[in-house]
Amino acid sequence: DVVLENHLRVIITDNGKGISNVQNSINHQSLGSKITKKRLELISNSENNNFNLMDLMDEEGNVIGAKAELIISYKFEENEQM
């Protein structure tokens, strides 16, 4: 993994149905997932930010969960009056 200076990296993994299985499900409409994904896409469109969402697979290619990675740039300013 690459460490980026002045960036916050957040990784979330779960062992649920995975992204592609939820998106392909006819019987399930997850409005919360759609809203969250849209918000993260808006953040990642900002300068120096990135968002990735992917399925986790086992050795046989079966979906065993999901992984979300968000990289947000920040600027640290020292306050001389501390």
Side-chain angles (χ1 to χ4, degrees), residues 14 23 28 41 47 55 71:
D14 75 23
Q23 290 175 345
H28 180 70
E41 287 173 351
E47 187 176 335
D55 284 320
I71 300 173

Side-chain angles (χ1 to χ4, degrees), residues 59-70:
E59 296 81 23
E60 286 110 32
N62 300 311
V63 177
I64 58 170
K67 176 181 175 181
E69 180 179 27
L70 178 61

Side-chain angles (χ1 to χ4, degrees), residues 8 17 19-21 27 34 36 44 47 50 64 71 74:
L8 173 65
K17 294 181 180 182
I19 303 305
S20 58
N21 287 338
N27 298 326
K34 289 179 184 178
T36 302
S44 68
E47 187 176 335
N50 193 9
I64 58 170
I71 300 173
Y74 65 89

Side-chain angles (χ1 to χ4, degrees), residues 1-50:
D1 288 341
V2 176
V3 177
L4 301 172
E5 189 173 323
N6 297 328
H7 285 77
L8 173 65
R9 182 177 182 194
V10 179
I11 299 174
I12 301 169
T13 58
D14 75 23
N15 61 350
K17 294 181 180 182
I19 303 305
S20 58
N21 287 338
V22 171
Q23 290 175 345
N24 294 331
S25 176
I26 296 172
N27 298 326
H28 180 70
Q29 288 286 332
S30 176
L31 186 58
S33 295
K34 289 179 184 178
I35 292 170
T36 302
K37 185 175 180 183
K38 184 64 177 173
R39 286 179 180 165
L40 291 170
E41 287 173 351
L42 290 171
I43 291 170
S44 68
N45 286 336
S46 300
E47 187 176 335
N48 297 319
N49 295 332
N50 193 9

